[in-house]
Amino acid sequence: MLKILSLQDFSFPSSDNLITASFMYDEPVYCTKEELQQEIQSFATYLHDFPVINITPEMLATRETARTIGARDLFLPVQDSSFKKIANIWREKGLLEAIRAAAAESPIEITYQVHWLATRMTQILDVIERGTFWSKVLPISGFGSVADVISTRDWTTALIRCMAWHPHCIRLAIATRDDRIRIFSIGNIGTAVLRHSAQKSVCCLSWRPNAGRELAAACQNGVLIWTVELGAASNSLSYAYTLKYRNHAPVTSVSWNPQGDLLVSCSLTDMNMIIWDVAKESGIPLRRLGGGGLCFTHWSPCGSRLLATTCRKIFRVWDIGAGTSWKSERWTVPNGRVAAACFGPNLTLLFTSTEDPSMVYSLPLQEQIFDVKKVGTLDDNKVAIPLIDLSKVTFPINDEDEYSVGGRVTSMDWDPLGKYLAIIFQDSSLVAIFKTKIGATSRITKVEPLCFVKGFPGEVPNCIQFYQNCQEGTDSTILTIAWSNGFIQHFPIVDGAYKESNLNHSKNVGIMSNTFSITEDLQTSLYSSFSYIQ
Amino acid sequence: MDKTADIVKAKCKELLVKRMFLAVAASIIVHFILMSGVILVTNLKITHPVEWIQDTWNVITCLRMWTYFLVFSMVIFLQGIICSKDYINPISYASSRFVKFCHIFTMHNLLVGSLFILLGGILAWLHLSVEDSRFSSLIKNCETLQGYCLVEEHYFLLLEGFWIGFYFFTNFSYLDSRNLQFCIIPRSKLSQVKRGIQIMITNTLLDAVWPTIYFLGFYSAFGNYCRSFFTSPFSLSIEDIPLDKISRLLSLSLIFYAWLHAVLFVLIIQSMHLFFQAYLTEWIPFVIEKIELTEKSKISLADALGMEKFPILRQLGYLDLVTIAQKDKTRRSILFTLSQPGGHPYNWNNIIEKSLSLIKKFSEGLNSACSNQKEENPKLTNTVPISCAQTSDKLYNYHMRNLVSATPTIEQFENKLRHAINDAQTVIWAADAISTLATVSLNEDPYGIVQKDLPEIIEVLLNVKQSLDKLQKLNISIRKPMSDDKFLKQTLTALRSAVRRSLYRIVSHFKNYIDDLALSPLTVDHLQPFFTYRE
């Protein structure tokens, strides 16, 4: 009989003013705000290279601080004649831009006739552009708005809008509300601050795999590709260029493929997802009918699948194939749209929809050619299996107050090794962490509750991501949580299995071993028997 | 040995010829559809839609149309066959613009040129005779005079057809449009062509404007001579006002037809290029194991990788190699097997040897381009301090001479670079493929055959990286910056990131074993920025 894990199975800390500092050897460690620094010392071995980050509202740029010295200020301004300027623009950006530039010049400089002609032509161009650039007006807030689909809670007001760990090293990019991106590196060698005139409303960041310093940012008008110069002294040496495509704005998601040669971007207003050849600055649109604009895309860790979710019920899993063209597999959720999704090892996909009550489903995508029992039944491994019930539950703290957790999911992240799953919700101040185990055939063989992470009183988590470069065989996993007050918490989860015996393990409160289907039995028994021999 | 090489070559040629034949056939079909569309538009009768469709149908299905079209497709076919040579042969090196200009006057090019001109003329003739308009024939019975009269519009459009052929021949042959671009992701041929035509169509509408204007200008000036050139030998007369009068020449329908023919001509030529591109760049899974060659066996991967005579086939080989490395586990496992009997890793050796030598040759090419430039540079700067104030005249002369001579060397350098860069896509794939194979070998190579080549792979990749870095530095230091060649810049960027990507891939997987690889201390030094991810 299939039993689905629910949030009720978690145990909850009783005291209100304690925060969760870490998870050590099978139990969460709580402490007060004052004790936190001291507590961090105790797990310093796991975090000694991690940058200490605390973004305060005072750090954000205001209009006055926005003007600091840039590369442009280091050189004397050159006074060119207007015609020379226009000719330069013609040469570099084409005739249309030149006409616009001419219209913007003062009429005395370029004679009244030319100016008149240029302004008229600009007006005509504007009209044509308005006709051809089909733009859909997005709601500013609520269902279907940019803030609604992004995996950051309260994106419009949050201090930290999104963050991204580098896939290979300790390097964290954080986009803040003032449209700056800050890069924090190993051992605090000084923060690089990236700013660009096109960098507005950053929705998503993605470091290029197999590269050191390249970062893609999804912005209001297109995708910015940064080459980051590390260290604080070189802020003006970092440079970026924009990738734009017609009707492809605002860009809500960017993701590099694990090989690091392709970049995929998508936009709420565009049914195409664009596959970019970044060096050539050219993109190929890929589209399938149905579903409207795209919300986000995710690559599987092996790079053979790409998930693309739409604003409606449909989501697609693209099979990259070997040398043949990409094929998409169409899936639907019963109601709403996909709220969050993540890939784990062995091509396991977890997703949850916006419908109520919400539920995490797992979808094994690996072809199971040796699954003997599959023969005869029609493709029954390609079924999304309900995994965790996320219905809202409340935990009373004292007589008046209670903590509620569950409901609509904002973001969900699985650590690269597939050991832990973290979820944040739209109306809960807790981060729920689950312990998971995946079989070799891309099925989840075990899910159990690990703990809730609670922040300082009144704080809510804005976004989460696991540290990406965890080596196999180490006992710690680090979850990075951006809290609403700008504090970045590196939450270490240290596996108890290394320290304590299995016997101890079994007395833990909420263990829930889920065996999902009868066909699973053969495999689980096979694999577990191997592990017993070891 | 020679015999096997010949068989391989013949097989490659057979494969390519088959693909090109399909490309030409597809472009003929597309042109037929295009032409039907044009007939549909020019026959437009909004008030009688049924009649309109019926008329168009009648025109398309009548025998005359088919006979004419047969002639036309013959010319397209010939054109395709002759142009295909440009696609499969290596691109020749031209050191300067003048040499490039001279290259136009080869036998092959002249043949292509005359076919272009012929095609332009036939296109105009076909459309004029099939479409139901006032100028559908060249000669008509005079109404007011005795004998036959010339329909000058027909004559004008026919001449314009020839002119368009000539105009676009000079345009295309000089600009080297025979460059096959591989798509970054595998796509179906149909979607490639569809998208290509979508992008092309707006440009084409604009491209066709200029030759039409040129020809209008030409005809208004020399129309008289052109006319008498044709009318006098056949003793034809002219009834209407001659066409070189501006008032008649600026007739809207005439200009529209002239422009339409130019548009169609560019569409044919460019869609043919698109079809060639779509068909020739289609991925082929080669066989990995090299087997004894017989007439029936297929081309092996190693053969394809070494095929210098047909660069396109070599590119396909590397495309397949990178596909195997990144996406195809089962074929990858064949690479890591040993031969039976014997137990030698022939499959792997064949491939790694060819890939490494390609990359080495490429970095040598880059280095030689750079070193030429370097030799020139000191000459410019070193001699300046020697010249003293007393020889200011000489100095002045010297500088003047430098000003004159500096440009050709930079041009030469750029041309050399541009020629070296022709291999860029292949090198990118080779680097990606061997680095990916090296990383997967950690788990998938049961005999450890990749290990022995790992130090060499790292060194070769580092060498290219250094050559590319040198080039970038040189680029900054040259007085006149690199000319505004977008393609060159983008290719260099792509190369740089591909080589870095490959090195990162190896470093991040072999970080813990780097001491066991027995690399030279200098190499480890050069790898340092990769360990800290600061490159």
Side-chain angles (χ1 to χ4, degrees), chain B residues 16-39:
Chain B
L16 294 176
V17 164
K18 197 175 136 203
R19 287 186 159 205
M20 285 185 299
F21 183 77
L22 287 172
V24 174
S27 73
I28 290 175
I29 292 168
V30 160
H31 190 68
F32 184 75
I33 296 168
L34 207 70
M35 198 168 145
S36 314
V38 170
I39 293 172

Side-chain angles (χ1 to χ4, degrees), chain A residues 91-92 166 168-169 171 189 208-214 227 229-231 239 241 245 259-262 275-277 279-286 302 320-326 469 471, chain B residues 181-188 195 283 323 325-328 425 428 432 436 472 484 486-487 489-491 493-495 497-498 500-502 504-506 508-509 511-512 531-535:
Chain A
R91 207 170 63 95
E92 281 165 15
H166 195 284
H168 308 300
C169 60
R171 194 167 290 164
I189 48 166
R208 187 174 193 167
N210 292 322
R213 304 178 280 124
E214 280 175 71
T227 303
E229 205 62 50
L230 295 168
Y239 57 92
Y241 56 93
Y245 200 87
Q259 296 290 352
D261 49 1
L262 299 176
I275 320 288
W276 294 99
D277 183 348
K280 298 212 170 92
E281 296 174 38
S282 69
I284 293 174
L286 262 191
C302 57
I320 306 312
T324 47
S325 48
W326 297 11
N469 192 27
Q471 301 296 329
Chain B
Q181 291 284 321
F182 279 78
C183 200
I184 47 165
I185 56 170
R187 300 176 75 201
S188 68
R195 188 173 143 66
W283 168 71
T323 312
Q326 295 186 341
K327 297 169 182 170
D328 200 341
Q425 186 62 68
I428 290 173
D432 263 334
T436 314
Q472 199 178 16
D484 229 11
K486 220 173 175 184
F487 177 72
K489 267 186 198 162
Q490 289 177 345
T491 316
T493 320
L495 264 170
S497 78
R500 270 194 208 142
R501 185 162 69 224
S502 310
Y504 267 122
R505 210 174 269 147
I506 293 176
S508 61
H509 278 82
K511 213 188 303 181
N512 301 332
F531 288 125
T532 52
Y533 293 93
R534 306 200 61 154
E535 180 49 58

Side-chain angles (χ1 to χ4, degrees), chain A residues 500-521:
Chain A
E500 295 172 40
S501 68
N502 277 340
L503 227 127
N504 217 346
H505 208 261
S506 63
K507 75 176 185 203
N508 203 340
V509 191
I511 281 199
M512 190 75 36
S513 180
N514 283 340
T515 314
F516 291 116
S517 55
I518 305 155
T519 50
E520 185 70 40
D521 286 351

Side-chain angles (χ1 to χ4, degrees), chain B residues 164-235:
Chain B
I164 290 166
F166 178 72
Y167 176 86
F168 285 112
F169 164 69
T170 50
N171 246 8
F172 289 149
S173 67
Y174 194 71
L175 293 177
D176 243 0
S177 66
R178 300 274 169 268
N179 200 346
L180 290 175
Q181 291 284 321
F182 279 78
C183 200
I184 47 165
I185 56 170
R187 300 176 75 201
S188 68
K189 290 188 280 281
L190 183 72
S191 62
Q192 272 184 55
V193 172
K194 219 170 71 184
R195 188 173 143 66
I197 288 183
Q198 267 174 19
I199 294 173
M200 202 167 76
I201 221 142
T202 40
N203 289 336
T204 309
L205 299 183
L206 289 176
D207 282 348
V209 171
W210 289 110
T212 318
I213 292 176
Y214 292 151
F215 191 71
L216 283 171
F218 168 78
Y219 202 84
S220 66
F222 304 104
N224 197 10
Y225 300 105
C226 296
R227 196 169 44 238
S228 57
F229 178 73
F230 188 71
T231 46
S232 44
F234 299 101
S235 55

